Amino acid sequence: MQPMNFFNGLFGNKDNSQSLPQLLRVDNKKEKKKKKKEILNSIILQSMNESEREKEQILNSLDERVCYLDLDYNIKWLNSSGLKSISPDSSIEDILGRHCYNILHDLDRPCENCPVTTTLHTGWPWKEEVEQKDGSTYLVSAQPVFDDNGTMTGIIEVQLDISFRKDIEHSLERSRRRGRALLDAIPDLLLIFNNSGNLIDYHPAANFDLLTYGENPEGKHLTSAIPGKLAVEILNHSKSLTALGAVRNFEFTETDSAVSKSYDCRLVKTGADEKVCIIRDVSSEKIRQKEILFKSFHDSLTGLYNRAYFEEELNRIDQSRKALPTSILIIDVNGLKFTNDAFGHEYGDKLLKTIATILSANSRKGEVIARIGGDEFSIILPDSPLGKAEKLADRIIKACSDSGYDEFFVRPSVSIGCADKNDNSVSLRDIIKIADEKMYRTKLSNREKHLNSLISDILKTMNKRSNESNDHIRRCIKLAEIFAKRLNLSSTSSENISKLATLHDVGKIRIPKEILLKTESLTDAETELIKQHSIIGYRITKAIPDYSLIADLILYHHERWDGCGYPSGLNKKEIPLESRIFMLIDSFDAMTHDSPYKKAILFDEAVTELRNNSGKQFDPELIETFISILIDEKDKNAG
């Protein structure tokens, strides 16, 4: 159909007012001939009009709005769909001759991006999607109409309501974006491949990258696109997928790399020649699982097995005849309470870790080492007689004795009990009771030895960390014994003064070494820190058996008669007698011997200093008695 000819004919002059019977009544031959010609022309015209009406009917049956416009946007013809879209009550007479933009769109000027405007300017057909005010969208096309001379005479505008299609497209786009967002959000790598193992499509994982081919791996074989061993596993497992929708799961662990990687793989058959593999990196989860499993059977502080694992192994070994004979060591840490109370749990934890290291270093493969209590460890020795267990105990005790102790101020020490099971007449729990009793007997019998070792280690640490020498302690102890005897003090008081002389500065082991050995003047902050040593010493001696009675004496041995001492500012006889006596002894010995702070002074100068501070720093009732002791000792040494 030629739009130009059709619409020119459709809206051109159609004069067919005479009917055929009227024409046949003419009698004249000449007229008959003329009329015959007219009849033929009329028949041809009528046939043409019928053809145009058929075409018009076709246009009216379309869902598209078809409109014929002149060059000024005036409507010359409008099909039924176009008329209905304006108003069901509108007539064609109300429409014809009016501007399309006014009638169809209720505007006072042509629409923006109107294809009719473009066609009027260019003479070429044009098509655009135009969105209306109400949100509907139309596909609008404009076709120019030309006369026989090639002059544009009008525009055919066809509008198709594509709102529903656009809604579907928008829904599909939203669905596509949601799907893409979901794929981007999940921590999985998606591989789509065919039965030959060639990669059809993929979606990368957000947090890990397995692709080895680089860009555009589509079409490549899986063994080229991802690590070879994993690809082979995927292909082997995919062979079992026969039915559509069949699923198979498997785990894969990559051990060739420096860091072990684990993947959870899920295979799904999605088509006759299509399979999907969903790969998730579960390495972190595996590590967490191992950590949880480790923590469930290991002591969090020492890393050794815990009580739960120990009980499990005890049951397993107890039921095994191959493990006989089985020996057990029960190990108790000496001085843990002292370390916790005196120095804090941080040092107690260090001590336990050191003991654990010693136990591990001296045990052999197959022996079960566990921390079964706060200060107790145990070692199970399957297929080992008692003699082997006793040798292990000796190695552990020697290793403790040989170890350093600067970090804990006292060396590690343990008490050990051993017992063995030779037949099934007793259980390992019975053996544990025997070993436990032996350990406690050993601990009690070695109590004095452990205490002396504890005091010895403390004194050695003091010597290493400060200017407190053994000679100073010995001199103080000697003067304390003489002073106590001269004052007729009880044996208890005399012993307490001697212990005070031994451990009076024990608190200095917690003061930084660089402050204790500093030769220049101390800052105010450093001075205050050193003053804390009497409080620290109180805590330490309070925690030592047999020395807790002198804790108060150590706390107050820097208090002054006039109340200007520390830490509590006690005065006069509020200060324990033993502390007042020791202050005189300690001060005199410090004045008459060199220290990092000052040089020693002469005997007579020291005596003068004591008298000058009588009633101030020192107890005035004790001064002259002490001075007489000093003079006697000087004369004795001179003689």
Side-chain angles (χ1 to χ4, degrees):
M1 178 182 69
Q2 296 291 333
M4 177 187 69
N5 295 335
F6 164 62
F7 280 97
N8 283 343
L10 187 60
F11 304 111
N13 181 25
K14 299 184 289 184
D15 185 9
N16 57 346
S17 56
Q18 285 185 307
S19 64
L20 184 60
Q22 289 176 328
L23 291 172
L24 291 176
R25 293 192 188 101
V26 179
D27 295 329
N28 188 288
K29 288 183 178 181
K30 188 176 180 179
E31 288 294 324
K32 282 183 179 181
K33 187 175 181 180
K34 180 180 178 182
K35 291 298 180 181
K36 185 177 180 181
K37 185 177 180 180
E38 290 178 355
I39 289 170
L40 291 174
N41 289 335
S42 177
I43 291 171
I44 292 171
L45 183 59
Q46 184 175 0
S47 175
M48 289 177 62
N49 288 337
E50 287 176 356
S51 176
E52 298 301 332
R53 282 195 295 273
E54 288 176 0
K55 294 172 183 177
E56 185 175 354
Q57 288 174 356
I58 292 171
L59 291 177
N60 283 328
S61 67
L62 297 176
D63 289 332
E64 291 90 336
R65 182 166 64 191
V66 181
C67 182
Y68 178 64
L69 308 172
D70 64 16
L71 303 183
D72 293 323
Y73 298 94
N74 296 315
I75 299 174
K76 304 297 292 180
W77 185 85
L78 185 67
N79 71 346
S80 299
S81 295
L83 187 62
K84 289 177 182 177
S85 68
I86 298 171
S87 172
D89 300 327
S90 298
S91 64
I92 191 64
E93 288 77 10
D94 299 329
I95 303 302
L96 297 179
R98 299 182 63 179
H99 293 308
C100 64
Y101 49 81
N102 180 257
I103 292 298
L104 302 179
H105 307 300
D106 194 25
L107 297 174
D108 56 3
R109 63 175 60 86
C111 304
E112 292 185 12
N113 302 322
C114 178
V116 172
T117 301
T118 303
T119 298
L120 285 172
H121 289 162
T122 64
W124 291 94
W126 203 255
K127 184 184 293 185
E128 291 279 357
E129 287 185 5
V130 180
E131 187 172 340
Q132 305 297 336
K133 290 181 183 179
D134 59 1
S136 59
T137 304
Y138 286 84
L139 179 62
V140 181
S141 60
Q143 175 72 36
V145 177
F146 298 95
D147 61 14
D148 292 339
N149 296 321
T151 301
M152 187 188 302
T153 59
I155 302 289
I156 303 170
E157 181 186 31
V158 180
Q159 296 188 22
L160 175 63
D161 188 348
I162 59 171
S163 302
F164 181 70
R165 190 184 78 189
K166 296 300 289 185
D167 288 343
I168 293 175
E169 288 177 356
H170 290 153
S171 296
L172 289 173
E173 178 61 22
R174 285 194 298 271
S175 178
R176 189 194 66 80
R177 286 198 299 268
R178 282 197 296 268
R180 176 62 61 178
L182 286 172
L183 287 175
D184 290 340
I186 62 175
D188 302 331
L189 169 65
L190 271 66
L191 303 175
I192 303 175
F193 59 96
N194 58 24
N195 294 338
S196 299
N198 295 321
L199 191 63
I200 299 173
D201 198 1
Y202 75 99
H203 187 277
N207 300 322
F208 69 97
D209 186 12
L210 271 179
L211 297 176
T212 57
Y213 185 81
E215 295 183 359
N216 305 319
E218 297 91 338
K220 301 299 178 183
H221 197 265
L222 280 183
T223 52
S224 299
I226 61 175
K229 289 185 178 180
L230 175 58
V232 171
E233 285 291 313
I234 292 173
L235 294 173
N236 287 339
H237 284 283
S238 69
K239 293 176 182 177
S240 64
L241 301 177
T242 55
L244 190 64
V247 177
R248 184 173 181 83
N249 295 316
F250 70 93
E251 286 189 0
F252 176 81
T253 300
E254 176 62 66
T255 56
D256 291 344
S257 59
V259 179
S260 178
K261 285 289 191 179
S262 297
Y263 301 99
D264 182 69
C265 305
R266 183 181 180 87
L267 284 162
V268 184
K269 185 175 178 64
T270 55
D273 191 23
E274 183 180 281
K275 295 167 185 174
V276 175
C277 185
I278 306 169
I279 304 174
R280 175 169 295 188
D281 186 347
V282 293
S283 304
S284 298
E285 294 176 21
K286 290 292 183 183
I287 292 172
R288 283 194 295 271
Q289 288 173 5
K290 288 181 180 178
E291 288 175 350
I292 292 171
L293 185 62
F294 182 88
K295 289 177 180 178
S296 65
F297 288 118
H298 289 77
D299 175 53
S300 59
L301 177 65
T302 63
L304 299 179
Y305 289 120
N306 59 15
R307 184 67 184 241
Y309 184 85
F310 179 79
E311 294 289 343
E312 289 285 339
E313 283 297 286
L314 210 61
N315 292 332
R316 184 185 66 80
I317 295 172
D318 210 9
Q319 296 171 7
S320 173
R321 294 181 181 273
K322 295 180 180 180
L324 294 176
T326 297
S327 296
I328 290 182
L329 276 69
I330 297 296
I331 304 157
D332 184 84
V333 179
N334 296 323
L336 178 62
K337 184 178 186 304
F338 160 73
T339 304
N340 285 332
D341 293 345
F343 307 119
H345 287 274
E346 175 189 355
Y347 287 90
D349 289 346
K350 288 181 180 179
L351 178 59
L352 288 170
K353 290 179 182 178
T354 299
I355 296 293
T357 301
I358 290 172
L359 297 182
S360 298
N362 288 276
S363 298
R364 294 179 173 86
K365 185 178 180 181
E367 297 173 350
V368 181
I369 314 169
R371 183 185 176 197
I372 59 174
D375 58 356
E376 280 195 350
F377 297 84
S378 183
I379 303 178
I380 307 175
L381 291 76
D383 194 22
S384 299
L386 183 61
K388 186 176 180 180
E390 290 172 340
K391 287 180 181 179
L392 173 58
D394 291 339
R395 289 200 305 272
I396 293 170
I397 291 171
K398 185 178 185 304
C400 288
S401 179
D402 293 343
S403 65
Y405 53 89
D406 287 347
E407 197 172 0
F408 319 110
F409 312 119
V410 293
R411 76 186 71 219
S413 172
V414 295
S415 297
I416 303 177
C418 306
D420 66 338
K421 174 185 175 180
N422 293 298
D423 54 52
N424 290 318
S425 62
V426 293
S427 69
L428 283 177
R429 283 175 172 76
D430 296 325
I431 301 302
I432 288 176
K433 291 178 183 179
I434 296 171
D436 202 45
E437 291 172 1
K438 286 184 177 180
M439 180 273 294
Y440 274 109
R441 285 200 299 270
T442 301
K443 193 177 186 72
L444 288 173
S445 64
N446 292 327
R447 180 180 180 278
E448 192 69 27
K449 178 182 176 182
H450 291 156
L451 181 59
N452 292 336
S453 177
L454 178 68
I455 300 300
S456 175
D457 288 346
I458 288 175
L459 293 176
K460 287 178 181 178
T461 303
M462 286 172 56
N463 290 338
K464 288 181 179 179
R465 296 176 60 83
S466 70
N467 60 330
E468 291 290 339
S469 66
N470 288 330
D471 290 339
H472 167 69
I473 293 173
R474 281 193 294 269
R475 290 192 300 267
C476 287
I477 291 174
K478 180 180 178 181
L479 285 173
E481 290 173 347
I482 296 171
F483 209 158
K485 188 175 181 179
R486 181 74 62 91
L487 294 174
N488 294 318
L489 298 181
S490 66
S491 59
T492 301
S493 294
S494 178
E495 184 180 351
N496 286 343
I497 295 175
S498 296
K499 288 181 178 179
L500 174 59
T502 302
L503 294 177
H504 65 283
D505 277 342
V506 66
K508 288 184 178 179
I509 64 177
R510 291 293 306 275
I511 306 299
K513 187 176 182 179
E514 58 271 16
I515 295 178
L516 293 176
L517 299 179
K518 188 176 180 180
T519 56
E520 59 268 23
S521 299
L522 299 175
T523 65
D524 291 344
E526 289 170 341
T527 300
E528 288 301 316
L529 187 59
I530 284 184
K531 285 182 178 181
Q532 294 297 311
H533 81 275
S534 58
I535 298 174
I536 298 170
Y538 168 83
R539 286 175 51 197
I540 292 173
T541 50
K542 199 73 175 174
I544 301 176
D546 299 342
Y547 278 77
S548 60
L549 292 177
I550 68 163
D552 286 346
L553 305 182
I554 289 178
L555 180 64
Y556 300 131
H557 80 280
H558 279 289
E559 299 287 357
R560 291 166 54 105
W561 182 262
D562 59 8
C564 296
Y566 63 88
S568 301
L570 302 182
N571 65 79
K572 298 182 179 179
K573 293 188 178 180
E574 291 177 344
I575 307 168
L577 176 60
E578 293 91 337
S579 298
R580 283 181 272 145
I581 291 172
F582 181 73
M583 172 170 269
L584 278 166
I585 297 171
D586 189 40
S587 299
F588 174 78
D589 193 77
M591 286 188 288
T592 55
H593 294 86
D594 291 337
S595 73
Y597 308 107
K598 57 184 179 61
K599 291 291 184 180
I601 62 177
L602 297 175
F603 177 87
D604 292 340
E605 292 174 329
V607 169
T608 301
E609 188 70 18
L610 290 175
R611 286 193 170 113
N612 289 340
N613 282 281
S614 177
K616 297 176 184 178
Q617 183 177 357
F618 308 118
D619 182 348
E621 298 177 5
L622 298 176
I623 285 287
E624 293 305 323
T625 303
F626 182 57
I627 291 174
S628 67
I629 293 172
L630 295 176
I631 293 172
D632 290 345
E633 288 299 307
K634 180 183 177 185
D635 292 342
K636 186 188 298 183
N637 292 332

